[in-house]
Every structure is written in structure tokens, then in C-alpha cells.
């Protein structure tokens, strides 16, 4: 079974631009979560999508948005980029977690975003 | 709100020795999951071990084991017979067991483990 894939792997943008990152979950997984990873802050939860609906949201400004498509693929958009948005953006997928099934998240390789 | 704290930014261990990574958390919930994730340099994050809070028995996966102290809200990871391939950033994570869809993962800031040959 193919793992979680993220595209592109690397991006360089300038301040004020916008960017769209893509995540394809493991086949059969319906939940996709996004995280921002920086050396100082570690992993911070951005949002989670399940069945095309945002189910949970972290403490990020409205410049960060996302969506999920009917095939469970998800995109994350960041508008009006700032220098502080430079980070590794990780996507993780899971089957709808239950106690019996466990609730393991499977992570993608990440997209490294650099804002100049 | 739940929090996860990893107080050791960096640890070193000699190859074949044992090392323990610390993690403490704060929550008012009684049922939850705890995880240790490993992120090797420039590689994908993978799950090392998982502990369900309602289980008193400490989880074990080969050379990896945890010491789960629910009352103390402590969840340490012990790596036995350390290998060079264990060098990575290790993240402790918490997840509520609520099924309402409002759950989320909360990660610590990570501990970088160096394995010395």
C-alpha cells in the first residue's frame, strides 16, 4: 500500500505570495491532518479534515486554510506569506480512528517551504 | 488544554547502551492515547510505540518500551541496545480518545538523540 505523499517537496516563495500544498493520504484513509514543524516550536497542529469537512483547527491565522476533496486528497493554502511561515509542513492520514482499530497517524515526507 | 513537555532537547547514548527519553503531559481527561514518534534526519516520521491510558501494562515494541505513570502524567521511552539507526528526533504526542471529531494530536518539542559509535 502506497504511503502518504506530499507535493511539492520543496518550495521557495517570496513574502506576500500565496502557496498551495497537496497531500494524498493512504488509500482508504479518510482523515487528513496538517502540521507545521519549525525548530523552535516543534510540531503544531494546523487542521484536520474528514469526509471533506474541517473537523478541528489549531491556533493559526486565517491566512492558513485547507480543503479536502471527495477522494480524500487534501490541499493547504497559505496566503500573504510571511518570513515566519518558513517551515516543514507535514501531512498525516489515518482511517477514522476508533479504540479497537487504534488511531495511528501515518505521516508524509513533508513540504519544505522557504519564504524569502 | 492539554500540553506535552519534553525537557531534554538533546540526548546522547553510546551504541549498545540504554537511554531513556522523558515526556510529561497535562490533561484533565481520563482516557487518552500517548505516542512516541521518530523522525530520522530528512526522513519520514514514523510511529515507534503507542500506549492507551486505560491499559496499565507498559507498551513494548522490540527494543523500545515505555514507562507510563498515569498519576504522575509521565510517559518515558526507553531504548535498549541502542543502534546507530536510532539516531533521530523523537516526539512525544498526546491524543484524546473522544470520538466526537474534536480530537487532535498534541506534540512535544522533541528530543534529538545522538548515538555514538
Amino acid at each position: 500500500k502506497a504511503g502518504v505523499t506530499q507535493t511539492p517537496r520543496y518550495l521557495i516563495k517570496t513574502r506576500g505570495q500565496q502557496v498551495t500544498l497537496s497531500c494524498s493520504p493512504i488509500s482508504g484513509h479518510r482523515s487528513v491532518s496538517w502540521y507545521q514543524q519549525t525548530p523552535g516550536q516543534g510540531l503544531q497542529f494546523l487542521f484536520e479534515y474528514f469526509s471533506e469537512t474541517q473537523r478541528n483547527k489549531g491556533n493559526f491565522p486565517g491566512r492558513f486554510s485547507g480543503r479536502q476533496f471527495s477522494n480524500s486528497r487534501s490541499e493547504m493554502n497559505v496566503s500573504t506569506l510571511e518570513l515566519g511561515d518558513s517551515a516543514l509542513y507535514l501531512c498525516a492520514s489515518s482511517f477514522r480512528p476508533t479504540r479497537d482499530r487504534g488511531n495511528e497517524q501515518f505521516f508524509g515526507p513533508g513540504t519544505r517551504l522557504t519564504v524569502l | 488544554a492539554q500540553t506535552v513537555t519534553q525537557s531534554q532537547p538533546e540526548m546522547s547514548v553510546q551504541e549498545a547502551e540504554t537511554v531513556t527519553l522523558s515526556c510529561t503531559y497535562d490533561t484533565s481527561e481520563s482516557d487518552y492515547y500517548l505516542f512516541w514518534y521518530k523522525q530520522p534526519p530528512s526522513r519520514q516520521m514514523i510511529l515507534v510505540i503507542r500506549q492507551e491510558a486505560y491499559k496499565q501494562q507498559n507498551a513494548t515494541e522490540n527494543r523500545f518500551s515505555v514507562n507510563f505513570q498515569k498519576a504522575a502524567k509521565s510517559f518515558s521511552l526507553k531504548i535498549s541496545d541502542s543502534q546507530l539507526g536510532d539516531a533521530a528526533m523523537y516526539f512525544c504526542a498526546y491524543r484524546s480518545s473522544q470520538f466526537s471529531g474534536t480530537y487532535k494530536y498534541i506534540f512535544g518539542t522533541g528530543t534529538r538523540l545522538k548515538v555514538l559509535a
Side-chain angles (χ1 to χ4, degrees):
Chain A
K1 192 181 268 190
V4 179
T5 58
Q6 293 186 245
T7 56
R9 294 292 310 278
Y10 301 92
L11 266 178
I12 299 176
K13 293 285 188 178
T14 57
R15 280 181 299 175
Q17 287 186 309
Q18 76 164 22
V19 67
T20 299
L21 313 181
S22 179
C23 171
S24 292
I26 291 172
S27 178
H29 284 192
R30 297 166 63 192
S31 172
V32 173
S33 296
W34 288 89
Y35 296 87
Q36 181 193 66
Q37 184 179 8
T38 57
Q41 299 293 322
L43 274 88
Q44 292 188 290
F45 172 75
L46 279 155
F47 28 66
E48 186 218 0
Y49 286 86
F50 179 78
S51 293
E52 303 177 62
T53 302
Q54 188 180 91
R55 296 303 181 100
N56 217 341
K57 191 176 188 304
N59 298 322
F60 279 82
R63 299 186 298 107
F64 292 82
S65 64
R67 59 177 175 169
Q68 186 180 34
F69 302 95
S70 58
N71 62 358
S72 294
R73 188 176 71 85
S74 177
E75 287 183 348
M76 188 191 92
N77 184 275
V78 187
S79 62
T80 319
L81 283 166
E82 300 177 359
L83 295 179
D85 297 334
S86 294
L88 180 67
Y89 290 88
L90 294 171
C91 159
S93 79
S94 58
F95 190 77
R96 182 58 166 159
T98 66
R99 175 175 291 187
D100 291 339
R101 289 179 180 269
N103 51 2
E104 181 178 350
Q105 285 189 139
F106 293 83
F107 283 84
T111 293
R112 173 76 61 186
L113 172 64
T114 302
V115 182
L116 303 176
Chain B
Q2 296 85 10
T3 59
V4 176
T5 302
Q6 291 180 252
S7 58
Q8 306 154 316
E10 192 171 291
M11 295 276 289
S12 296
V13 63
Q14 206 70 36
E15 197 176 5
E17 296 295 309
T18 295
V19 65
T20 299
L21 309 184
S22 301
C23 173
T24 59
Y25 59 95
D26 191 26
T27 183
S28 58
E29 298 173 333
S30 60
D31 195 14
Y32 46 86
Y33 298 94
L34 295 165
F35 308 84
W36 278 99
Y37 282 89
K38 170 185 177 182
Q39 188 179 40
S42 302
R43 293 183 63 185
Q44 223 145 317
M45 189 174 310
I46 58 173
L47 178 68
V48 174
I49 201 164
R50 171 178 58 219
Q51 176 78 42
E52 291 154 303
Y54 71 91
K55 290 185 177 179
Q56 294 186 337
Q57 186 174 8
N58 289 327
T60 300
E61 288 287 341
N62 301 315
R63 297 182 296 106
F64 298 87
S65 62
V66 298
N67 183 3
F68 174 48
Q69 301 290 327
K70 191 172 184 180
K73 297 179 181 174
S74 170
F75 182 61
S76 60
L77 174 70
K78 185 172 84 170
I79 306 174
S80 304
D81 186 26
S82 296
Q83 301 174 358
L84 294 177
D86 294 333
M89 182 74 87
Y90 287 81
F91 291 96
C92 177
Y94 169 100
R95 180 196 175 279
S96 168
S97 70
Q98 299 301 315
F99 301 146
S100 64
T102 60
Y103 62 86
K104 60 184 177 183
Y105 283 78
I106 299 169
F107 285 79
T109 51
T111 295
R112 183 171 301 283
L113 179 65
K114 296 183 177 180
V115 181
L116 309 173

